[in-house]
Amino acid sequence: MTNSVPVMDKREFLKWFLESYQLKRRECAWLLNFLMSDDILMERVHFVEQAEHCPKALMISANDVDHVPFAFHKNQHVTMDAEKSFHDIRLNRNEDIFIQLNFKDKQMTPSYMAVLEENPYLPVNNEEENVNGLLAEIIIEESLRRHTIKKMEEEIDEALVMGNESKFYELAERYTQLKALD
């Protein structure tokens, strides 16, 4: 995964976060400080929403929200043991780490929004995909219809210039039918 958020920005955000919020479990602060101390690990850190869909995720909550204090997800396994997550992170430094931070008004916090990345592991919303496909079809059909109308107008003009009355009436009738769809 390409890293679009600079390490310094992520580190500055985490410093601010740790200064501004009290976490439900102090081991979480220790774990975040460990991550901040290592540039290689910080390169692999990605702040996302719905991290439970990611292959390796930390979910950490501040005291001001009603969420699980801490959870570590890795390949369908979940643990609440911060020490296990620390050892996994330390031993697997080449794996991306997706972090979901739960704190009050996070969507209205500019520094959080600046480091938030799109979660590449979210399941596809089939209903939304179907609607988008139908909209694309409608747009293509309308574009083709307009192109056909424009082409037909040129042919009608040409039939008039050439004095071809039968072609003019034939095209005019088809043109009228197409325009009726507007």
Side-chain angles (χ1 to χ4, degrees), residues 16-32:
W16 170 84
F17 178 74
L18 289 170
E19 289 170 2
S20 303
Y21 292 90
Q22 184 177 2
L23 302 179
K24 290 186 176 190
R25 292 190 41 201
R26 68 175 180 270
E27 300 97 323
C28 296
W30 174 72
L31 189 55
L32 292 175

Side-chain angles (χ1 to χ4, degrees), residues 146-157:
R146 287 182 186 201
H147 175 74
T148 303
I149 287 172
K150 184 175 169 81
K151 186 84 172 144
M152 201 170 285
E153 287 171 346
E154 291 170 3
E155 289 178 21
I156 289 171
D157 288 345

Side-chain angles (χ1 to χ4, degrees), residues 10 17 22-26 43 68 75 79 85-86 90 118 124 145-146 148 151 158 174:
K10 291 188 270 191
F17 178 74
Q22 184 177 2
L23 302 179
K24 290 186 176 190
R25 292 190 41 201
R26 68 175 180 270
E43 282 283 337
V68 173
N75 301 328
T79 182
S85 65
F86 165 74
R90 188 175 54 82
E118 187 173 326
V124 175
R145 190 179 75 74
R146 287 182 186 201
T148 303
K151 186 84 172 144
E158 188 179 316
R174 285 186 14 214

